[in-house]
Amino acid sequence: MYSLSDFDFDLPPERIAQLPLPDRSASRLLQLDGDQITDRHFADIVDQLQPGDLLVMNNTRVLKARFFGVKETGGQVEVLVERVLDNRTVLAQVRASKSPKPGNRIRLADAFDVTTGERAGEFFTLHFPEEGGDVFELIEAHGRLPLPPYIEHTADEFDEQRYQTVYSKEPGAVAAPTAGLHFDQPLLDKLQAKGVKLAFVTLHVGAGTFQPVRVEDLSAHKMHSEWYTIAQETVDAVRAAKAAGRDVVAVGTTSLRALESASQSGQLVAGSNDTALFITPGYTFKTVTRLITNFHLPKSTLMMLVSAFAGYHEIRKAYQHAIANEYRFFSYGDAMLLTTNSR
């Protein structure tokens, strides 16, 4: 039985990528198959996938979800939208010297007022105004892109382009599905020309993806919840790939979580739902056979997920190799191609 400290490791700060590379597909790729480690370039992914393999990608789009504002009392407020509930209502983290009460008004970005509603756990319900557009329009017009906490610069126009996948479509995430950031359109065209199939899911990544696990006993950890949807077209593509004996390759842990969450009956089913699926070593993967993913934070739920997928000791060895060979870590960093140890 693993504990939190089993997923810790020392990462030199200079290994954390602060900026994306000029070219999306110029990243490095560490391939891990069993205990075999191979250093590649990300563009080599074309050679590692076969005709009939299925790439499943998360087409969520990152919202400009961060706002700075002022309470009626003059106090400073920072708001991070966590989830859009409807055209006028969001759940958000609100940081202030004193928590707002229901009915309080907050001026955001010196542009519009929101009214606080009831609390929902760690989040606040915020009601947006009737005028000026719907929630998505107001967020896009006045918000700021919420880069991860370990990236030290303020988001600029380059980030606004590069912290989205080229296939992002459905607005609702507050963090990018970063494994997808390595794909540019020419690389996707090469994959399709080879006969690799593409399918999409939507999982709106929440800020909880950056939250550290705070309990040593993993069974006591409360996993954050995220919303996903999977179309019947994607289910059909997965079934066709499996029937042909081909790999189902999740692009990112978010795509994997969506697919595995919708496979809990033993077979992938279409639909929309919230997932709080917490994958740790011992989990049996039901749909995904290979995974493209970035390098993750120590003690994170994502470290536990990749350890479950490719093997605890194998992942430890791969991360030691990546650090020694100066791979770039986290959202703007390099990638891994993993094969499940349970297929």
Side-chain angles (χ1 to χ4, degrees):
M1 188 69 182
Y2 292 100
S3 300
L4 177 61
S5 55
D6 292 319
F7 299 94
D8 197 11
F9 61 92
D10 292 324
L11 182 68
E14 61 269 20
R15 298 273 53 81
I16 301 173
Q18 293 294 328
L19 295 168
L21 296 176
D23 298 320
R24 288 180 183 268
S25 60
S27 301
R28 297 169 71 189
L29 179 70
L30 187 156
Q31 184 172 350
L32 177 64
D33 195 343
D35 61 0
Q36 181 67 40
I37 295 172
T38 309
D39 297 308
R40 302 189 185 279
H41 298 288
F42 192 80
D44 297 338
I45 198 77
V46 176
D47 301 322
Q48 304 313 311
L49 301 180
Q50 301 305 316
D53 285 350
L54 179 68
L55 273 181
V56 184
M57 301 170 155
N58 182 4
N59 65 3
T60 188
R61 186 165 181 82
V62 183
L63 301 171
K64 293 182 178 177
R66 176 166 282 127
F67 288 88
F68 295 94
V70 182
K71 293 190 288 186
E72 292 173 288
T73 58
Q76 300 294 308
V77 178
E78 182 179 350
V79 169
L80 181 65
V81 175
E82 170 72 13
R83 184 181 299 200
V84 175
L85 299 179
D86 58 41
N87 282 342
R88 297 291 164 205
T89 315
V90 304
L91 284 181
Q93 297 178 14
V94 178
R95 293 180 181 172
S97 57
K98 191 175 181 181
S99 293
K101 293 181 170 56
N104 286 174
R105 295 172 74 83
I106 301 172
R107 183 79 173 170
L108 293 184
D110 199 26
F112 62 94
D113 293 338
V114 295
T115 305
T116 57
E118 296 299 324
R119 291 201 67 158
E122 63 186 301
F123 302 112
F124 289 82
T125 307
L126 299 181
H127 301 287
F128 278 54
E130 294 290 336
E131 65 281 352
D134 65 17
V135 161
F136 291 111
E137 291 168 329
L138 287 167
I139 288 173
E140 184 63 26
H142 302 291
R144 302 184 186 186
L145 191 74
L147 290 177
Y150 45 76
I151 291 181
E152 296 169 355
H153 68 272
T154 302
D156 57 22
E157 289 185 10
F158 188 54
D159 292 297
E160 290 181 7
Q161 172 204 347
R162 288 300 306 277
Y163 197 60
Q164 304 278 11
T165 62
V166 297
Y167 47 80
S168 66
K169 180 182 178 183
E170 304 293 341
V174 300
T178 55
L181 300 180
H182 302 284
F183 290 90
D184 53 27
Q185 195 56 52
L187 185 58
L188 292 172
D189 292 343
K190 284 183 181 178
L191 286 161
Q192 288 184 284
K194 184 174 181 176
V196 175
K197 309 296 184 183
L198 307 183
F200 296 93
V201 298
T202 303
L203 183 142
H204 291 323
V205 191
T209 193
F210 301 118
Q211 293 298 314
V213 179
R214 295 187 171 89
V215 290
E216 186 67 17
D217 179 1
L218 299 183
S219 66
H221 174 65
K222 186 178 186 301
M223 188 71 177
H224 64 281
S225 178
E226 293 170 321
W227 181 90
Y228 73 89
T229 188
I230 297 177
Q232 185 61 46
E233 180 182 10
T234 296
V235 173
D236 293 342
V238 168
R239 290 177 180 168
K242 285 192 167 293
R246 304 313 316 162
D247 278 315
V248 176
V249 187
V251 178
T253 57
T254 61
S255 298
L256 181 147
R257 285 188 75 224
L259 290 168
E260 291 296 317
S261 296
S263 304
Q264 290 304 293
S265 66
Q267 186 174 7
L268 181 66
V269 294
S272 302
N273 213 332
D274 276 306
T275 178
L277 182 63
F278 183 23
I279 295 176
T280 58
Y283 177 88
T284 300
F285 290 86
K286 300 168 180 63
T287 293
V288 179
T289 56
R290 300 182 89 184
L291 171 64
I292 299 167
T293 186
N294 282 23
F295 293 92
H296 303 295
L297 280 74
K299 294 185 175 181
S300 65
T301 59
L302 300 181
M303 271 299 293
M304 298 165 197
L305 184 154
V306 295
S307 298
F309 191 81
Y312 174 81
H313 296 289
E314 290 81 358
I315 286 290
R316 298 289 293 188
K317 180 181 172 184
Y319 270 57
Q320 290 167 3
H321 176 91
I323 293 168
N325 288 272
E326 299 186 345
Y327 276 74
R328 302 163 75 249
F329 274 62
F330 304 163
S331 294
Y332 277 153
D334 295 315
M336 303 181 78
L337 173 61
L338 308 177
T339 300
T340 184
N341 60 1
S342 61
R343 74 172 179 178

